[in-house]
Structures are given as C-alpha cells and as structure tokens.
Amino acid sequence: MVSPSTPRMGNRFSRWLGQTIMNMMGWTIKGSFPDEKKLIIIGAPHTSNWDLILAMSAMLSVGLRFSWMMKKEAFFWPLGNLWKALGGIPIDRGGDVDVVGQISEYFENNDNVWIGLTPEGTRTKVDSFKKGYLRIAYGTNVPLFIIGINAPTKQVVLEKIWKTTGDMEKDNAAVKAFFDDNFKGIVPKNG
C-alpha cells in the first residue's frame, strides 16, 4: 500500500487508532500509493463532514503524512503549531498574492511532500471542479494522484496518477467525469 517515497508520520498507536476508526465505520482502503516524492492528491467526492474523519482515519491507518492548505489567519497561537504538525500549510490569500507561487515554493523547499486537495471546494453538488489543483499541477510540474471515496462499497480508493494534457478546460472536465463515473460520496445528492 505504501512505497519507499511515501511521506510517513505517526507510530504504531496512531496507525492502530486510524485503522480502528476505519473498522468502526466499516471502511477499507483499496489500491496503493505511487512511488513519487512529490504529489498533488485530489480527493473526491467531498459530500459530507464525515469525509474529513474518513480521510484523517485512512491517513493515520497507513501512516501517511500529507499536507493541506489553510488560510494563514487560522495559524494563530496555540493552534498554529498544531495545524503545522498535522500538515497544514499557511496560505496568504491576499489580493496580490499568488497561491500557485506559494505552493511552488513549498514544493521547492521540501524534499518529500504530498499535498491533498478537494477539487469541488465545497460539500455541495457542483457542475465543475475548481481549477486550482490544475493551476498548481501545471505551475509546479508535480503529478496528480486520484483518491476516490466510494460510499456504496465503503472504500477509499487509491486510484491512479492522472496524466494532464496542458489544456485546463479539457483536463478539468475529464477529471470531473472520471470521479462522477467511478465514485459516489457519503451523501449522494451532494455529489
């Protein structure tokens, strides 16, 4: 399930805790992670508040460390250090600040980092994904990895590396269609 380059965190207790929560919820993980030092993980469908618990439990159960973006204003004392320890990246979303540039710098300054994103940007039904994940992938030349939530089978599916074409509209529509065709969220009406 994990490869030598998978960013690792936690210990035996945290893996046990994550697996116990997954077992209590009746969920399993299917697939394996790619052997990549830098990765942008896109996870969908994001239809419920339970998605966070599921994602964190799955992450803990395999000892995976992935990073995620959060507005810099949330990194105040005493929570700032906690967010960073859990993988949070403070992002300045000010008017003249380039988020892709900030993430590019983060990738450049870290040898082994995976960043997780939810391309919908919300837990409600959307017709198309936000394109920030593609702007980041194009701007950093870091591959995309698809992880799907499939509620009917209660599986977190570690699917595949997604090859981009460079055509943002085409790539975004293809990724959205792939998720729509292959995965169903915990609250189907929101996916």
Side-chain angles (χ1 to χ4, degrees):
M1 184 170 305
V2 294
S3 68
S5 63
T6 304
R8 306 290 296 191
M9 74 175 231
N11 53 34
R12 186 180 302 174
F13 174 75
S14 62
R15 287 188 293 279
W16 172 84
L17 178 62
Q19 189 60 56
T20 299
I21 294 169
M22 294 278 293
N23 290 345
M24 289 172 50
M25 294 173 61
W27 284 74
T28 59
I29 299 173
K30 176 184 174 186
S32 61
F33 291 109
D35 191 17
E36 297 284 341
K37 286 194 171 277
K38 297 181 181 186
L39 204 59
I40 298 167
I41 299 170
I42 51 173
H46 180 35
T47 62
S48 161
N49 287 331
W50 285 101
D51 297 342
L52 175 63
I53 295 167
L54 182 59
M56 295 304 282
S57 299
M59 178 188 77
L60 286 172
S61 74
V62 297
L64 170 65
R65 176 178 177 79
F66 73 90
S67 297
W68 40 274
M69 298 181 297
M70 180 185 261
K71 63 183 178 181
K72 71 175 187 170
E73 293 81 9
F75 286 80
F76 58 86
W77 188 89
L79 295 177
N81 288 335
L82 173 64
W83 296 145
K84 286 180 182 177
L86 293 173
I89 304 169
I91 296 294
D92 185 346
R93 300 186 311 172
D96 294 340
V97 180
D98 177 26
V99 173
V100 174
Q102 291 175 70
I103 294 302
S104 292
E105 185 177 321
Y106 191 81
F107 275 121
E108 288 172 16
N109 294 330
N110 293 279
D111 291 330
N112 197 13
V113 62
W114 292 4
I115 295 179
L117 303 167
T118 56
E120 297 105 326
T122 181
R123 289 179 305 274
T124 58
K125 189 170 184 64
V126 296
D127 294 327
S128 67
F129 287 163
K130 294 185 177 251
K131 298 177 189 121
Y133 73 99
L134 286 169
R135 282 192 285 279
I136 293 169
Y138 294 165
T140 61
N141 202 29
V142 171
L144 295 172
F145 183 67
I146 291 183
I147 296 181
I149 291 177
N150 199 28
T153 61
K154 288 197 166 189
Q155 291 178 322
V156 175
V157 182
L158 311 176
E159 186 63 43
K160 64 180 177 175
I161 296 255
W162 187 272
K163 302 290 184 194
T164 57
T165 67
D167 180 330
M168 191 172 298
E169 297 300 325
K170 180 179 174 182
D171 285 343
N172 197 43
V175 169
K176 172 78 164 84
F178 183 82
F179 274 104
D180 288 348
D181 292 345
N182 293 284
F183 304 108
K184 300 290 179 231
I186 293 172
V187 181
K189 70 177 180 159
N190 290 347

